[in-house]
Amino acid sequence: MKEVSSNKCAGGFQKVFEHESSELKCKMKFAVFLPPKAETEKCPVLYWLSGLTCTEQNFITKAGSQLAAAEHGLIVVAPDTSPRGCNIEGEDENWDFGTGAGFYVDATEEPWKNNYRMYSYITDELPKLINGNFPTDPERMSVSGHSMGGHGALICALKNPGKYKSVSAFAPICNPVQCPWGQKAFTGYLGSDRSSWEAYDATTLAASYSGPRLDVLIDQGKDDQFLSASQLLPDNLIAVCSEKKIPVVFRLQPGYDHSYFFIYSFINDHIKHHAKFLNA
């Protein structure tokens, strides 16, 4: 693991690291915010999963999460969204598939299955790396994300009951088996058998969830262009969660779009949401 950068921030440090990933078989970067509290004691960890086209830089430079994370003593880890530079034919041809668009699944189809294993990277390899190198409490972690990363956060929490203390999302892709983005990605990564797609669909997973209480916070911009384009489909997830009595706070925010201006406006609420459960 190599430190790429380190900047004093909010009384702590915003750092970026690079390492060789065994799951993804390439070099990966991830950002880590260490609050002042991490200098003297172990801290809980919030994992942030970014959306389509993003790297580890988008969240740490645009979301403004560091002050709230410092206040609540949270380590925040923000990995890249997919493998990069794997020399896979076609990996850079589309903005919504391939590089920058890993969709947090473990691919089963050629030529993607050897590298595009973001689900295992996020849920297994990265936490082991973080817990082995930073002052974390492995029993206290939560997950959040935006858009494709909101989809990733929801499936990580729903597929691993009890692993995450809480989950939140900004404008998540809630029902990818039913939307163009998801159908394109899942066909490429998982093949044509739609039943295999359901293992990475938050709405389907919520319908069969039987784990411990999982508190969910979702913010959605009312003027989000992808909401009107039927890419996000939050109503499908909310309906299932209501039926299954999974506690969800869903907030439709008037005037807000899909951008990081939206995330910046409400990130403090999400940090507080996770701190409530991580510091309980």
Side-chain angles (χ1 to χ4, degrees):
M1 194 175 73
K2 171 189 171 187
E3 187 175 291
V4 176
S5 65
S6 178
N7 299 93
K8 187 78 172 176
C9 182
F13 285 92
Q14 180 63 68
K15 295 175 179 283
V16 174
F17 294 88
E18 185 179 72
H19 75 113
E20 286 285 346
S21 168
S22 57
E23 285 287 358
L24 309 179
K25 297 177 178 59
C26 68
K27 286 184 177 179
M28 283 293 285
K29 287 181 180 177
F30 61 88
V32 179
F33 174 71
L34 298 170
K37 196 174 183 180
E39 294 181 11
T40 56
E41 58 187 279
K42 292 185 176 181
C43 297
V45 183
L46 173 61
Y47 287 87
W48 171 269
L49 307 183
S50 290
L52 285 163
T53 75
C54 292
T55 70
E56 78 290 340
Q57 289 293 319
N58 295 70
F59 181 71
I60 65 174
T61 57
K62 296 180 179 180
S65 64
Q66 291 92 343
L67 281 171
E71 177 187 348
H72 295 285
L74 305 188
I75 293 173
V76 182
V77 177
D80 200 349
T81 47
S82 69
R84 292 184 191 270
C86 296
N87 297 316
I88 298 172
E89 185 177 353
E91 66 183 353
D92 296 321
E93 289 181 0
N94 297 277
W95 71 274
D96 56 355
F97 183 79
T99 301
F103 265 83
Y104 303 101
V105 304
D106 282 352
T108 55
E109 296 294 297
E110 296 287 1
W112 311 100
K113 66 180 184 179
N114 289 331
N115 302 97
Y116 278 68
R117 296 181 49 81
M118 286 299 294
Y119 174 75
S120 289
Y121 179 72
I122 294 298
T123 59
D124 185 40
E125 182 181 1
L126 185 59
K128 285 178 180 175
L129 187 67
I130 297 299
N131 294 333
N133 289 278
F134 301 96
T136 65
D137 179 350
E139 299 301 312
R140 293 187 294 158
M141 68 177 184
S142 291
V143 63
S144 183
H146 170 232
S147 193
M148 177 185 74
H151 140 77
L154 290 168
I155 65 166
C156 285
L158 291 166
K159 285 169 71 68
N160 297 277
K163 186 181 182 80
Y164 301 93
K165 298 294 185 186
S166 55
V167 60
S168 76
F170 289 85
I173 303 172
C174 294
N175 197 184
V177 301
Q178 298 291 346
C179 80
W181 277 343
Q183 291 165 353
K184 178 177 180 177
F186 288 179
T187 299
Y189 294 136
L190 304 174
S192 58
D193 181 4
R194 292 176 69 99
S195 64
S196 68
W197 301 2
E198 295 179 351
Y200 297 103
D201 183 280
T203 299
T204 303
L205 291 168
S208 60
Y209 184 79
S210 60
R213 178 185 170 106
L214 179 66
D215 284 81
V216 185
L217 170 63
I218 296 175
D219 271 311
Q220 172 64 60
K222 191 174 182 181
D223 289 5
D224 186 327
Q225 67 271 37
F226 300 116
L227 179 65
S228 59
S230 298
Q231 293 282 20
L232 306 178
L233 305 175
D235 291 348
N236 296 3
L237 175 63
I238 301 308
V240 169
C241 287
S242 177
E243 186 179 320
K244 291 288 291 184
K245 294 182 168 54
I246 298 173
V248 178
V249 174
F250 177 76
R251 309 190 305 185
L252 191 61
Q253 305 288 5
Y256 287 91
D257 57 21
H258 198 73
S259 71
Y260 262 86
F261 295 109
F262 166 53
I263 298 170
Y264 178 90
S265 301
F266 300 103
I267 191 65
N268 285 3
D269 291 347
H270 286 245
I271 297 290
K272 285 181 185 176
H273 168 76
H274 294 294
K276 175 182 175 182
F277 300 99
L278 290 170
N279 291 326

